[in-house]
């Protein structure tokens, strides 16, 4: 009964599925053609025949393989016409399938017009440019060569012209600064092109397909780019050279003559940082020699600007990192162990499966000269990963060792970890400041290496002291986030970190703490530059507490214990029940901008001590100490992939981390609004664990029986510490009526003594706010207070000097309904409300009348009153006769909408 009903429903669905479907002839080749074929079949269209190219070196085209496997008739014609006339046998074979529409996803053959116009609906063609621009066979190349800001594709109706038929549909995308032909094709033209071809066929089937004539305005036609016309002309700007090189990457490859040999350039990117030191390399035709650096080959345009090339390929097909151009001699041949011989035999079988046209795989067999294509590279890498114990190669490994013998040597070195021996390459931005040379990494840190963002995007990080740009920092893309998570996952599941005993983990963390301490002056200087923290405070708190945190949790590594549990069923079988605490896996950490390094330490030290791996996104406006930390982690000996740092925006990188299915826990410090969004994303994606340290409006109650001098001094610290950019800052002071006026007077007197200025000046008390937008928000906060009737006693203005400085500010007469009483400022703004003498329960009710519960404080000499108040205050931390006292051994976190879970 149930089965019959299900069958009936499926039949109805099937009938609906095949409504308005066409009989299609697919003419073309390649993986793109194969995917279009598969998707058309999936959508219910009937592919009645596939017309493709003959087998090459005994290997069938991917489209032919898919169609033959599916039972679709396949025709492999070397040509369709002779001397301008259609070959009779070919025409008869074509007509025999009875197609209603020809679909040409990618076709290198010339198809006669009687075939093009033969079906009821004619023919549609995919072209990888936004027609009428870049007509011709090398459209993707020319999109990049010409520096187009937009790329895309067109699906058009075939006519007797060259890419001139009416447009059916078009799609476009932005061209990223370092896109190559492959990158653009793989990111957009391939996946979106497949969808568009299927959509176009359905539009035709439904009778809704437009025919928009092409305009000749803006039309261009460029010839086919071949190796012989891909030579680099050096009298151009750096950007034009970059476009020429990337426009030929990977096929046909832009080249120049070096030392009498044709050398092809791959992996170009514009160089936005200072020129690194290197060894000159004369290049024929170039006015200025190139520079072989530890990062690659630097080339110069006629405008004085530079670009960098990552890889070079020689005439014999061998590819090397450009940084190794001057490396002397060949690497010695390593002798294989019995286990490595087994791996080599497995790889030989994989090669034989791909190079099916080669009778036998010999040591001298060249992967590409035997007919392999770029798609075969992807297949080779994936098959080796599946069949050789998860061994992860990169596509570049294949290009750099094309002969079987060389490839096996590379694999063996990879297995032995010898590929990890190379010194970490760091492209610093250096500054002479604070009586030292400060060296700051600025790239993404993924899998143990500093690297540009996948799409080459950068952004400026700003010095809040004067508003100047410190440097450009890599802006991580979704691809970079995925790479970082994959690296962390691999390090946890397959790497040395996952096998390491707890005591060795602790040793690495102790070493990292020592290195942070050795570099504390440099770290504190970077913190002052990037966040505006006063140097002396940065040295003691931002950096000092970070060092303490790693030392403290290093000691915990081998002390994480489970327990045995007595159970009723222990006898007579002597059953034993025990708990075991295990690491979660990959953890994501998103930190704020007020204590960049300390928040990193608070969240990551415990994470690492427990054996997890991590992907950390620093605040977009303060990335530099996190990237310096990454450098120190390598020097401390942390295996690659354990720590990954991805600078960028919360909307892109942060959101992807919260949604990523391979992340098992996320820790976030920031606003309550964003915390809610993160929690939602974590729940919907894979129910990952979450720790949230969010907003606060921490009350500080000052009773008349307090030690007033100490209350004034500590109360000011509770508000103005770290420029008020402090999670637990006293957001509202309640001062007992009898001492209220004196308290306010003393506070204003002390503020007037504070020195506002350069955070690197050792006598400065108060530095700039973290960034411009925050300063503007604080000024608006003060304006709102004045409008609502609060009394502005002092400050409330921007300091008249360069940078983002704000006067320490005091408001009184703040009533409970006011904006100032409810909302956190996160700045140097003291908000004071008085309460009636002796009204303990009344002031407690007011103090707890907030959705936040991060911290709180009370000042009184009466111990009974102090304990009563501290018990009633609804906050994660209560300070008694002190404030801002945190310690690495004390957990930290809040209640209510201040979040849940604990740091430290």
């Amino acid at each position: 009964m149930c089965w019959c009903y299900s069958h009936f429903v499926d039949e109805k669905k099937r009938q609906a599925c095949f409504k308005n479907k066409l009989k299609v002839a697919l003419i073309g080749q390649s993986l793109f053609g194969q995917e279009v074929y598969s998707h058309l079949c999936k959508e219910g269209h009937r592919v009645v025949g596939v017309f493709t190219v003959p087998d090459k070196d005994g290997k069938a085209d991917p489209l032919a393989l898919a169609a033959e496997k599916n039972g679709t008739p396949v025709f492999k014609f070397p040509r369709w016409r002779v001397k301008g006339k259609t070959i009779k046998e070919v025409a008869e074979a074509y007509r025999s399938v009875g197609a209603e529409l020809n679909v040409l996803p990618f076709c290198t053959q010339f198809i006669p017009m009687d075939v093009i116009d033969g079906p009821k609906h004619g023919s549609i063609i995919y072209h990888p440019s936004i027609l009428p621009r870049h007509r011709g066979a090398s459209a993707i190349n020319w999109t990049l060569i010409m520096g187009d800001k937009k790329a895309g594709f067109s699906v058009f109706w075939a006519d007797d012209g060259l890419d001139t038929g009416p447009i059916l549909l078009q799609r476009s995308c932005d061209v990223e600064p370092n896109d190559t032909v492959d990158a653009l094709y793989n990111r957009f033209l391939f996946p979106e092109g497949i969808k568009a071809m299927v959509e176009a066929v359905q539009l035709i089937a439904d009778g809704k397909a437009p025919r928009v004539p092409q305009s000749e305005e803006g039309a261009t036609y460029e010839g086919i780019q071949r190796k012989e016309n891909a030579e680099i002309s050096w009298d151009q700007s750096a950007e034009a050279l970059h476009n020429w090189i990337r426009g030929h990457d990977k096929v046909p490859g832009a080249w120049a003559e070096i030392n009498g040999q044709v050398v092809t350039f791959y992996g170009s990117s514009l160089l936005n940082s200072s020129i690194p030191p290197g060894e000159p390399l004369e290049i024929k035709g170039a006015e200025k020699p190139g520079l072989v650096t530890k990062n690659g080959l630097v080339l110069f345009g006629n405008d004085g600007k530079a670009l960098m090339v990552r890889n070079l390929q020689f005439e014999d097909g061998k590819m090397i990192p450009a940084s190794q151009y001057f490396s002397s001699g060949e690497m010695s041949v390593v002798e294989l162990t019995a286990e490595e011989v087994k791996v080599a035999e497995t790889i030989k079988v994989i090669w034989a499966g791909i190079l099916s046209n080669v009778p036998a795989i010999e040591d001298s067999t060249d992967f590409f000269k035997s007919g392999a294509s770029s798609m075969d590279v992807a297949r080779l890498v994936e098959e080796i990963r599946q069949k050789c114990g998860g061994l992860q190669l990169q596509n570049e490994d294949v290009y750099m060792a094309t002969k079987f013998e060389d490839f096996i040597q590379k694999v063996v070195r990879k297995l032995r970890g010898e590929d990890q021996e190379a010194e970490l390459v760091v492209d610093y931005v250096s500054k002479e400041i604070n009586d030292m040379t400060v060296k700051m990494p600025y790239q993404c840190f993924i899998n143990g290496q500093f690297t540009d963002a996948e799409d080459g995007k950068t952004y400026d990080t700003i010095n809040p002291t004067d508003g100047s740009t410190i440097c450009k920092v890599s802006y991580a893309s979704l691809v970079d986030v995925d790479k970082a998570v994959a690296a962390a996952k691999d390090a946890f599941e397959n790497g040395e970190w996952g096998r390491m005993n707890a005591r060795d983990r602790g040793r690495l963390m102790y070493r990292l703490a020592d290195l942070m301490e050795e570099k504390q002056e440099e770290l504190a200087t970077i913190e002052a530059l990037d966040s505006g923290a006063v140097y002396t405070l940065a040295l003691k708190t931002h950096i000092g507490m970070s060092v303490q945190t790693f030392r403290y949790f290093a000691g915990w590594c081998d002390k994480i214990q489970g327990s045995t549990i007595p159970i009723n069923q222990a006898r007579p079988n002597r059953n034993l029940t025990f708990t075991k605490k295990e690491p979660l896996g990959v953890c994501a950490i998103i930190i704020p901008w007020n204590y960049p390094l300390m928040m990193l330490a608070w969240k990551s030290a415990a994470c690492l001590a427990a054996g997890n791996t991590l992907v950390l996104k620093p605040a977009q406006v303060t990335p530099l100490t996190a990237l310096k930390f990454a450098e120190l982690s390598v020097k401390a000996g942390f295996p690659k992939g354990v720590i990954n740092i991805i600078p960028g925006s919360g909307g892109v990188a942060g959101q992807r981390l919260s949604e990523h299915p391979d992340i098992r826990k996320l820790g976030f410090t920031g606003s309550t609004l964003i915390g809610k969004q993160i929690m939602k994303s974590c729940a919907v994606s894979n129910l990952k664990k979450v720790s949230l340290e969010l907003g606060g409006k921490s009350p500080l109650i000052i009773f008349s029986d307090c030690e007033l001098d100490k209350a004034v001094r500590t109360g000011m610290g509770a508000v103005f510490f770290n420029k008020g950019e402090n999670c637990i800052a006293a957001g509202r002071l309640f001062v007992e009526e009898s001492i209220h006026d004196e308290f306010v007077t003393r506070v204003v007197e002390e503020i007037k003594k504070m020195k506002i200025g350069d955070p690197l000046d050792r006598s400065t008390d108060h530095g700039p706010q973290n960034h411009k937008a925050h300063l503007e928000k604080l000024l608006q906060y003060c304006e709102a207070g004045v409008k609502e009737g609060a009394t502005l006693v002092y400050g409330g203005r921007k300091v008249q000097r360069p940078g983002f400085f704000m006067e320490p500010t005091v408001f009184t007469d703040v009533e409970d309904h006011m904006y100032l009483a409810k909302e956190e400022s996160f700045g140097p703004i003291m908000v004071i409300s008085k309460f009636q003498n002796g009204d303990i329960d009344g002031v407690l009710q007011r103090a707890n009348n907030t959705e936040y519960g991060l911290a709180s404080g009370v000042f009184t000499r009466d111990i009974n009153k102090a304990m009563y108040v501290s018990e009633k205050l609804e906050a994660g931390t209560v300070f008694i006769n002190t404030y801002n006292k945190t310690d690495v051994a004390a957990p930290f976190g809040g209640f209510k909408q201040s979040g849940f879970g604990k740091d430290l």
Side-chain angles (χ1 to χ4, degrees), residues 56-109:
K56 182 182 178 183
D57 298 325
K59 291 181 65 178
D61 184 81
L63 172 57
L65 288 172
E68 286 168 348
K69 185 177 180 181
N70 214 25
T72 301
V74 176
F75 304 87
K76 301 177 182 180
F77 300 130
R79 65 185 62 83
W80 286 72
R81 63 180 195 167
V82 174
K83 296 181 179 179
K85 292 186 178 182
T86 306
I87 300 170
K88 182 180 177 182
E89 295 81 4
V90 174
E92 289 175 352
Y94 168 75
R95 284 194 294 270
S96 71
V97 302
E100 298 171 317
L101 173 71
N102 291 332
V103 175
L104 286 75
F106 175 74
C107 182
T108 57
Q109 295 177 316

Side-chain angles (χ1 to χ4, degrees), residues 560-784:
I560 300 172
Q561 299 176 0
S563 59
T564 57
I565 304 171
I567 56 173
N568 287 342
Q569 290 78 25
R571 297 186 182 188
N573 296 323
R574 299 184 182 276
N575 294 325
L576 171 67
T577 301
F578 64 92
T579 60
K580 182 182 179 185
K581 295 183 179 178
E582 297 180 338
L584 294 166
V586 181
C587 296
I589 295 173
I590 302 175
I591 57 174
W593 42 258
N594 57 330
Y595 295 102
L597 188 64
M598 194 175 83
M599 290 295 98
L600 177 154
W602 278 26
K603 291 188 183 296
S604 63
C607 170
L608 293 168
N612 299 289
T613 57
L614 64 88
V615 179
L616 183 140
K617 193 200 86 64
Q620 185 170 347
V621 291
T622 54
L624 296 180
T625 44
L627 294 170
K628 189 69 178 179
F629 167 84
E631 178 195 349
L632 297 179
S633 73
V634 175
K635 293 181 178 179
F638 277 77
K640 67 178 185 178
V642 174
I643 295 170
N644 304 272
I645 311 289
I646 46 169
S649 72
V652 176
Q655 183 64 26
R656 178 58 179 152
L657 288 173
S658 67
E659 295 170 344
H660 204 291
D662 290 332
I663 289 172
R664 295 301 167 198
K665 179 171 182 177
L666 187 145
F668 170 75
T669 294
S671 73
T672 298
L673 181 67
I674 300 300
K676 289 178 179 180
Q677 178 61 43
I678 284 176
M679 187 175 175
K680 180 180 178 181
S681 298
C682 288
V684 170
S685 55
N686 63 336
L687 212 63
K688 57 177 68 70
K689 292 165 72 74
V690 189
S691 292
L692 302 173
E693 196 258 277
L694 307 175
K697 188 67 176 173
S698 302
L700 174 57
I701 304 173
I702 300 176
F703 288 99
S704 59
D705 61 353
C706 70
E707 186 182 331
L708 190 56
D709 287 343
K710 184 176 183 181
V712 169
R713 186 173 63 254
T714 309
M716 288 181 65
V719 176
F720 302 130
F721 187 81
N722 199 48
K723 313 160 292 173
E725 296 167 351
N726 189 17
C727 304
I728 57 173
R732 192 176 180 194
L733 275 65
F734 294 93
V735 182
E736 199 161 6
E737 190 172 16
S738 61
I739 62 167
H740 173 274
D741 292 350
E742 185 180 356
F743 179 86
V744 172
T745 300
R746 289 200 192 184
V747 165
V748 172
E749 288 173 354
E750 292 301 316
I751 288 176
K752 290 176 179 177
K753 299 175 186 176
M754 292 173 65
K755 180 178 178 181
I756 302 172
D758 184 351
L760 292 174
D761 183 337
R762 305 308 193 265
S763 62
T764 294
D765 299 303
H766 189 78
Q769 304 310 135
N770 187 277
H771 51 282
K772 185 179 180 181
H774 183 54
L775 171 62
E776 291 170 349
K777 179 184 169 187
L778 293 174
L779 296 174
Q780 291 168 5
Y781 185 91
C782 293
E783 289 172 9

